[in-house]
Amino acid sequence: MTEPLTITIDHVRAAGLCVPGTRTWFARQGLDFRAFLREGIAAEMLLATGDAMARRVVEHARQQAKQEERA
């Protein structure tokens, strides 16, 4: 069984998204951006928004995790 994936600001940056835009997006979604910076956020919470950019970041993080498993 795999552990739940936690998305961090590093995943956001690696997916090519900007921090200021992410902050604005979190505010629109009613999510705590500061908590996200400190602790990350569960991939499933991001996916639950139904947002295309959230899916992009989660998919990027999943691909990164797979690559790290192979290394």
Side-chain angles (χ1 to χ4, degrees):
M1 185 170 172
T2 62
E3 287 187 36
L5 181 60
T6 299
I7 304 301
T8 67
I9 195 66
D10 292 335
H11 293 120
V12 170
R13 288 182 181 129
L17 301 176
C18 69
V19 175
T22 302
R23 179 177 310 174
T24 301
W25 184 87
F26 265 71
R28 279 197 311 254
Q29 298 297 322
L31 298 170
D32 186 340
F33 184 72
R34 288 181 186 247
F36 167 66
L37 291 177
R38 283 190 314 271
E39 306 158 12
I41 190 168
E44 295 307 316
M45 277 189 83
L46 287 183
L47 293 175
T49 67
D51 186 84
M53 286 200 212
R55 287 192 304 270
R56 174 177 160 182
V57 171
V58 170
E59 183 56 32
H60 184 82
R62 285 179 176 160
Q63 292 300 322
Q64 185 177 353
K66 284 181 186 177
Q67 288 175 350
E68 289 172 3
E69 284 178 4
R70 291 183 202 144

